Amino acid sequence: MDKQLHWETIYKDKQPNEVSWTQSTPSLSLKLIQNANPSKTANIIDVGGGESLLVDYLLDLGFENLTILDISKNALDRCKNRIGNKGKNLNWVVSDITEYHPETSFSIWHDRAVFHFLTGPTAIAKYKANLLKTLSPDGEFIIGTFSTEGPKKCSGLDIKQYTEESLTDCFSPELEPIEFQREDHETPFHTIQNFVFGRFKRVN
């Protein structure tokens, strides 16, 4: 299956109220980013940003150097159109995260609901290698994935579930957790999906 075609089709055919991951307010993501206390000029990447409203809130908070990455150009085009002129200085990247090789480093790498789609060891290893290559020495990694109490599939695709312990194992020894939180996400169809969120720092 062509991963990019799968997601391009979804973002061509479905509106935000027709996909399970839509959030009206990305409260926990915002809280964890603010807990990291980055400067307003810090380089922040939102992996799988798609149509997420996280970028809107970060702009309203005064953050200036934002990169929004998604495998779907349709998703990013929708986000650009929604934000309008406020997004003129943002960095928009159409890429599979396992193939992304930026020239800059990031103080915050945020990922809600991308990592759990990587179910094989090769894809997971590529993701981790790119994360470590681009996260600054004092940078923080914020991740939200389906927990073992969450769904086993999403958007017709198999996913990999995680616990606080398995996330720690996956990203050690280079990264260590600072905090974990759980979130029950209510989808637009009023079902509940349990996420585990972690905030990690590099180990010196």
Side-chain angles (χ1 to χ4, degrees), residues 1-203:
M1 185 193 67
D2 185 314
K3 285 190 294 183
Q4 185 166 20
L5 178 60
H6 175 84
W7 293 109
E8 294 291 17
T9 301
I10 284 174
Y11 282 105
K12 178 171 72 73
D13 295 343
K14 294 184 181 293
Q15 296 303 309
N17 66 342
E18 298 176 299
V19 293
S20 64
W21 49 88
T22 296
Q23 284 183 304
S24 58
T25 306
S27 303
L28 185 50
S29 291
L30 287 166
K31 178 182 177 182
L32 292 173
I33 290 171
Q34 290 177 298
N35 285 355
N37 198 29
S39 71
K40 299 303 184 187
T41 58
N43 282 326
I44 298 175
I45 183 169
D46 186 18
V47 172
E51 283 190 282
S52 167
L53 294 171
L54 180 63
V55 62
D56 305 61
Y57 283 91
L58 292 175
L59 285 170
D60 287 345
L61 288 170
F63 290 100
E64 301 172 11
N65 297 314
L66 305 177
T67 295
I68 301 89
L69 177 145
D70 203 278
I71 197 170
S72 169
K73 182 177 183 298
N74 287 335
L76 294 182
D77 285 345
R78 284 189 184 186
C79 193
K80 287 181 193 177
N81 291 336
R82 186 188 73 232
I83 292 174
N85 196 50
K86 285 199 305 182
K88 63 182 179 181
N89 295 322
L90 301 181
N91 184 27
W92 305 92
V93 179
V94 179
S95 180
D96 180 328
I97 189 55
T98 64
E99 306 299 331
Y100 179 50
H101 304 290
E103 296 179 358
T104 187
S105 62
F106 295 103
S107 297
I108 301 286
W109 173 301
H110 171 269
D111 169 0
R112 174 185 176 268
V114 170
F115 185 64
H116 58 220
F117 284 107
L118 308 180
T119 57
T122 300
I124 290 171
K126 284 185 175 181
Y127 180 104
K128 183 177 177 181
N130 288 347
L131 166 64
L132 294 174
K133 203 180 302 177
T134 57
L135 191 66
S136 63
D138 59 348
E140 295 194 10
F141 169 49
I142 296 168
I143 184 166
T145 73
F146 285 145
S147 77
T148 50
E149 298 172 20
K152 295 181 178 178
K153 294 178 83 78
C154 183
S155 184
L157 301 176
D158 290 331
I159 60 93
K160 188 174 174 68
Q161 297 175 319
Y162 288 91
T163 64
E164 292 81 354
E165 292 77 18
S166 60
L167 277 176
T168 299
D169 290 343
C170 187
F171 292 102
S172 65
E174 297 90 350
L175 297 164
E176 65 180 16
I178 303 168
E179 62 175 313
F180 286 109
Q181 298 204 36
R182 292 288 182 115
E183 179 179 61
D184 280 328
H185 165 61
E186 183 176 356
T187 73
F189 343 113
H190 306 296
T191 57
I192 300 297
Q193 298 176 332
N194 188 253
F195 279 76
V196 55
F197 274 78
R199 182 163 70 96
F200 291 76
K201 67 177 180 180
R202 295 198 81 130
V203 176

